[in-house]
Each structure stands twice: as structure tokens, then as C-alpha cells.
Amino acid sequence: MKRTILSRVIIGVVVGVFIGFMIAMGISLAYRAPIFMPSSTSFVNHFSSSLMATAASIGLWALIGIVFAVGALVFEVERWSITRQTVTNFIITYVLFTPLAVLAGWFPISPLWSWLLSFTIEFIVIYVIMWVTSMRVARASVRRLNALLNQTKK
């Protein structure tokens, strides 16, 4: 299990930094920024240079990647139902990702309620879609297995 967690952490760091960098690069290009902007202007202004802001962003992107990679381990607990796995993963990622996203400058600290409600609703919708998809895949697998069992009984 320790090796699995360690490998998840490493993968989370790599994927988190890659995705964070690609999103920041895409936004910098889309807004035709004269320099690379790792996050919002208000975030970058907290640092002495764009380089320091980028270094801080890399750390936050790595932590975000770790949250999602390690949080996904709950889907490997086979004795748990799909619902329990999904709800547990939702709680882990929501509680740990939200403050990291605020620290990364993706959401303003104030007014808190203006973005938090819509963010929470979007997060819930994404997890409902994940749960429905997982349930459909599981039901299809059960149907296939039952069909195979019925064929072997004949």
C-alpha cells in the first residue's frame, strides 16, 4: 500500500504540474499576456517576481495533483459501494482542493459566497455525472457477467 501511495503522489505531482502549467500557458496566450502568468494578476502581485509566482504556482499545482491522485485511491476499495467511493472522493477532493484553488488565485477570497456557491454546484454536478456513469458501467458489467454465467449453465 505504501508503494501505491508513493507512486500516486509522484504521478499526482507530475500530472498536477503539467495540467496547471498548460492551463496557465493557455490563459496567458488567450489573453495575449506580455509575460507568462502562472495565475491571476492579484496572485502574481503577491510575489517579488513572475518567477517566484511561477515557483509558488508549481508547488500548488503539485499539491492539487496529489489531492486528486491520492484521493482516487478510494475507488480501489472494492468492498465499498460506488456511492460510498464517490461520496468519499468528493469530500476529500472538495475539502482539500478548494483552499488550494483559493491559494492559487483561481478564486477571490472575497466576496466568498459569490463564487463558492456556483463552484460547489459545479463540483456536485461533476460528481453526479461520475456516479451515474460508474453505475451504468457497473450495471453493464453485471449484465455481461450474468449472461456469461447463463451460457455456462446451459
Side-chain angles (χ1 to χ4, degrees):
M1 186 71 152
K2 288 183 182 182
R3 184 170 182 225
T4 303
I5 292 174
L6 179 60
S7 64
R8 289 288 181 125
V9 167
I10 292 167
I11 290 167
V13 167
V14 171
V15 172
V17 171
F18 177 77
I19 291 173
F21 178 79
M22 295 308 290
I23 290 171
M25 180 60 80
I27 291 172
S28 293
L29 290 170
Y31 284 99
R32 299 177 187 258
I35 60 170
F36 173 72
M37 295 293 288
S39 190
S40 66
T41 305
S42 62
F43 175 83
V44 174
N45 288 339
H46 284 90
F47 298 91
S48 59
S49 68
S50 179
L51 180 62
M52 295 307 293
T54 301
S57 292
I58 289 170
L60 289 168
W61 298 334
L63 289 172
I64 291 168
I66 291 169
V67 166
F68 283 96
V70 174
L73 285 171
V74 300
F75 292 110
E76 295 180 11
V77 181
E78 294 179 8
R79 66 183 182 277
W80 286 5
S81 69
I82 291 171
T83 302
R84 182 175 178 187
Q85 291 172 338
T86 306
V87 169
T88 303
N89 182 264
F90 171 87
I91 292 168
I92 291 168
T93 55
Y94 183 83
V95 167
L96 297 175
F97 170 71
T98 304
L100 290 172
V102 171
L103 284 173
W106 297 346
F107 303 115
I109 294 175
S110 69
L112 181 67
W113 299 112
S114 65
W115 65 267
L116 187 60
L117 181 61
S118 64
F119 171 74
T120 302
I121 291 169
E122 290 171 23
F123 217 77
I124 290 169
V125 167
I126 290 167
Y127 272 83
V128 167
I129 292 168
M130 284 174 41
W131 178 81
V132 167
T133 302
S134 296
M135 291 299 283
R136 287 185 179 191
V137 168
R139 285 186 182 126
S141 293
V142 168
R143 281 190 211 109
R144 277 194 303 275
L145 289 172
N146 283 336
L148 286 172
L149 285 173
N150 287 336
Q151 287 177 354
T152 58
K153 285 182 182 179
K154 291 179 183 180

